[in-house]
Amino acid sequence: MTFFTNPTEPRDLPGRLHLTLPAEIDHCNAAELLPLVLSAARARGDRLDVLVLDLTATSFMDSQGIRLINDVRRRLRPGATLRLAARPEGITSRVLELTGMRRDVPVYDNLPEALAS
């Protein structure tokens, strides 16, 4: 069960929005996270070029996490892109690989790389 249902406060970076997601993403919180992430992205309006979801502290993610990422990707405004940061040795990175999400969304090994690219 996850106790952290809200992403952290967005970091204000020119053209970029960085949100850190909770330690666990599953059926208990994924549906609640979607409107929070989309609301933060929409608040940036046309100034949002890149949305970075930080999964480096996420130690568990099931298919609902993949669904969340896919829904965010599809609902971003045209021209905005989604990037993920996930530790390469973590469960989250493995789930992204097994589901094929890495083909659709760039995944970086750490947050600085995701923000800089």
Side-chain angles (χ1 to χ4, degrees), residues 62-83:
D62 65 10
S63 62
Q64 294 303 308
I66 295 300
R67 180 184 220 168
L68 168 70
I69 292 167
N70 199 39
D71 287 349
V72 168
R73 180 176 62 94
R74 288 184 305 169
R75 294 180 183 184
L76 281 179
R77 74 162 184 80
T81 59
L82 176 63
R83 295 185 183 142

Side-chain angles (χ1 to χ4, degrees), residues 95-109:
V95 170
L96 294 169
E97 181 72 33
L98 290 173
T99 60
M101 184 59 70
R102 284 183 171 268
R103 288 186 312 252
D104 300 328
V105 179
V107 180
Y108 297 86
D109 292 343

Side-chain angles (χ1 to χ4, degrees), residues 14-111:
R16 288 168 166 46
L17 176 60
H18 161 231
L19 296 173
T20 301
L21 295 183
E24 296 180 6
I25 304 172
D26 56 22
H27 71 280
C28 293
N29 67 352
E32 297 170 7
L33 288 170
L34 181 60
L36 295 172
V37 171
L38 292 177
S39 176
R42 289 182 182 134
R44 298 295 294 265
D46 291 340
R47 297 176 296 126
L48 179 65
D49 296 320
V50 176
L51 171 60
V52 177
L53 296 182
D54 183 357
L55 299 165
T56 57
T58 303
S59 58
F60 178 80
M61 182 172 75
D62 65 10
S63 62
Q64 294 303 308
I66 295 300
R67 180 184 220 168
L68 168 70
I69 292 167
N70 199 39
D71 287 349
V72 168
R73 180 176 62 94
R74 288 184 305 169
R75 294 180 183 184
L76 281 179
R77 74 162 184 80
T81 59
L82 176 63
R83 295 185 183 142
L84 306 174
R87 291 184 329 230
E89 71 282 352
I91 297 290
T92 303
S93 187
R94 184 74 174 135
V95 170
L96 294 169
E97 181 72 33
L98 290 173
T99 60
M101 184 59 70
R102 284 183 171 268
R103 288 186 312 252
D104 300 328
V105 179
V107 180
Y108 297 86
D109 292 343
N110 58 56
L111 183 58

